[in-house]
DNA sequence: CTACCACACTGGTCTAGACCAGTTGCGGGG
DNA sequence: CCCCGCAACTGGTCTAGACCAGTGTGGTAG
């Protein structure tokens, strides 16, 4: 038969659907399992074959494959079949903290505070943070690690007047995001970031445990709260061999919901 | 009738579907128009009413509303109805071509074609482009320049079967984006991008006129059309000293996909 | 007046077919 | 030997019902 090998590649599927739960729901789980266990490009059984095997109407099968295809797990080719899609990168343009970012990549984040002190804002920094010139700011230097491996060096500046007592807060354990939310009720909303490729040199090469001149990503980030007021400005240097940016770009109208 | 006012709020809808084109497709356009012209929270006509009005089966209506709901234009409430969803916040990172990107930075883009030929897709590439294994693809190597200065090296792969005659098209002048739109009517919608920092080595260092080992940004981009079908896959290498990424991140609901 | 229940709506699931439209392989004719 | 056409697959669209499951309302019994 021409469809040989399709079913054969499937890892031991249930043969019948249980009663009680909607058939489509059960079918969907089976198909999700199939799609996630097969390599990209593999063919799924045909709609008619699935309908026949599980004793449901073809429209029921189609409905579930429609869902999978809409989610990007599979794709269809008219006249050829339905295939497992290559995994898409996550929606990574969302504003996340280093802590959230690393956890979403399956690693355990931590930090080592190198330096933490009050300094006067330079004129450039004051302008960015929208505070008065020479206003007190807290400068926080940290090495960010994931699973114990140095991932990035980060220097953050926060307006000290707005966050009373911040200079004596212990940042070695808590996430900056979480502390701002818990102690000062700050809801971070958006950030402007500038990213350039750069060579890692000198002291930072030592901190990140890489050879001089190795490539890295330098982020300049200005994060704002729900009112649009700047909360902190940070410069981060990520190791090029251990960090990547995943972007999902949308053209034009880019509709979706709030 | 209880459903009064639903239809009344609708801005003069066509009463019949034309022949020739699929009914679902026409229905979809009507519903999209409805959803975009009504304020968020408005109720759409019920599925049975729409089916009745346009003389189609309710399953046909449901299929299209499924699509709209999947795209986030509408949402459903069991027992109550289907409603127009609130528009999502604008997507910050817009999908642009190199041409548009450079012009927006105030530079004049150009390209130099290094190589252009038909090759068989590797299994990995075929899976990414969602085409059959060993299907013909056009490989296009270019150096992208801005104001006459080498900015990036780019290798793009396009499915040749879909774009008849593409292998003999001159890409030294025209933008790939524009050509795809004009000659093949392709509307690019979104792209997944992976960005890593890397050292520029060997031949590519020569092409970009930088010293060996200088830092650069490597992009892997999969661009899709309005139907979600992959259009091309590209690997680009940008000079680290001449290119930067500007991001605007928004803290969202973290809408996820697999 | 209130509490409850039946009914008329809504969407949710599912069936068992129909026919159309691409793709592919195989066999026969030139 | 090559090419063409047919047959057997694939997904794409659509029908005309069925019954289930929530929601909301209005009338009726207490």
């Amino acid at each position: 038969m021409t469809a040989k090998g399709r079913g054969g590649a499937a890892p031991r599927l249930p043969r019948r659907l249980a009663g009680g739960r909607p058939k489509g729901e059960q079918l969907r789980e089976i198909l999700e399992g199939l799609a996630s266990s097969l390599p990209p490009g593999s063919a799924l059984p045909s709609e008619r074959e699935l309908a026949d095997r599980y004793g449901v109407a073809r429209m029921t099968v189609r409905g579930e494959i429609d869902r999978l295809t809409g989610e990007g797990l599979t794709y269809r080719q008219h006249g050829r079949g339905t295939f497992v899609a290559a995994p898409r990168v996550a929606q990574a343009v969302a504003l996340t903290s280093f802590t959230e970012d690393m956890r979403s990549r399956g690693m355990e984040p931590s930090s080592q505070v190198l330096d933490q002190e009050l300094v006067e804002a330079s004129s450039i920094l004051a302008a960015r943070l929208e505070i008065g010139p020479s206003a007190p700011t807290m400068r926080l230097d940290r090495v960010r690690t994931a699973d114990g491996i140095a991932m990035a060096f980060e220097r953050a500046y926060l307006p000290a007047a707005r966050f009373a007592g911040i200079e004596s807060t212990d940042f070695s354990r808590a996430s900056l995001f979480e502390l701002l939310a818990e102690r000062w009720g700050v809801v971070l909303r958006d950030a402007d970031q500038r990213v350039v490729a750069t060579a890692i040199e000198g002291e930072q090469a030592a901190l990140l445990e890489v050879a001089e001149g190795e490539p890295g990503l330098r982020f300049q980030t200005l994060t704002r709260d729900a009112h649009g007021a700047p909360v902190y400005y940070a410069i981060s240097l990520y190791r090029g061999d251990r960090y990547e940016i995943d972007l999902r770009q949308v053209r034009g109208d880019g509709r979706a919901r709030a």
Side-chain angles (χ1 to χ4, degrees), chain A:
Chain A
M1 59 167 99
T2 55
K4 177 135 66 141
R6 287 167 172 268
R12 191 171 296 281
L13 294 177
R15 261 160 310 187
R16 291 187 323 200
L17 301 181
R21 294 168 53 229
K23 297 178 182 176
E25 191 178 309
Q26 298 178 58
L27 197 51
R28 180 183 169 78
E29 286 170 10
I30 293 171
L31 292 174
E32 278 180 351
L34 237 183
S36 62
S37 65
L38 292 175
S42 314
L44 258 53
S46 77
E47 296 174 356
R48 287 171 178 87
E49 187 182 333
L50 286 168
D52 199 49
R53 179 173 346 172
Y54 295 108
V56 297
R58 185 177 155 222
M59 281 300 287
T60 305
V61 174
R62 261 193 84 74
E64 297 313 313
I65 296 187
D66 273 349
R67 275 203 181 83
L68 293 190
T69 300
E71 289 179 3
L73 270 68
T74 56
Y75 61 93
R76 295 201 246 230
Q77 285 187 16
H78 193 170
R80 297 223 312 134
T82 303
F83 306 88
V84 177
R88 291 195 189 187
V89 299
Q91 173 127 355
V93 279
L95 176 60
T96 60
S97 66
F98 179 85
T99 302
E100 293 167 343
D101 194 10
M102 289 305 119
R103 287 199 178 128
S104 75
R105 292 165 194 245
M107 293 181 282
E108 188 54 32
S110 184
S111 289
Q112 177 190 348
V113 176
L114 302 175
D115 186 43
Q116 180 176 6
E117 58 180 321
L118 281 182
V119 297
E120 280 189 3
S122 70
S123 60
I124 297 174
L125 179 60
R128 283 195 211 279
L129 287 178
E130 298 176 6
I131 56 179
S134 304
T137 60
M138 184 189 72
R139 185 180 68 202
L140 177 66
D141 287 358
R142 291 186 290 179
V143 169
R144 320 297 308 256
T145 60
D147 286 348
I149 300 172
M151 185 69 83
F153 165 80
E154 179 190 281
R155 168 167 290 181
Y157 294 94
L158 293 96
R162 180 168 175 190
F163 304 111
I166 194 172
E167 68 274 14
S168 53
T169 301
D170 178 13
F171 285 100
S172 60
R173 295 183 186 177
S175 153
L176 179 56
F177 264 46
E178 291 168 11
L179 268 176
L180 289 173
E182 287 170 17
R183 289 195 42 182
W184 289 281
V186 173
V187 178
L188 297 174
R189 190 190 58 185
D190 55 38
D192 285 324
Q193 266 187 337
R194 186 168 166 265
V195 188
V196 297
T198 185
I200 306 176
E201 310 279 5
E203 184 190 6
Q204 299 182 337
L207 285 171
L208 295 178
E209 300 164 17
V210 298
E212 292 264 337
E214 285 291 299
L217 290 171
R218 183 185 305 279
F219 289 72
Q220 295 176 40
T221 308
L222 182 66
T223 307
R224 294 193 182 80
D225 65 15
H227 307 294
V231 173
Y232 68 86
Y233 177 73
I235 299 173
S236 312
L237 181 62
Y238 281 76
R239 288 182 56 156
D241 57 344
R242 295 208 176 132
Y243 192 76
E244 67 179 41
I245 308 171
D246 292 323
L247 291 178
R248 181 171 178 77
Q249 300 184 313
V250 177
R251 181 95 171 169
D253 64 344
R255 66 172 60 100
R257 61 202 170 74

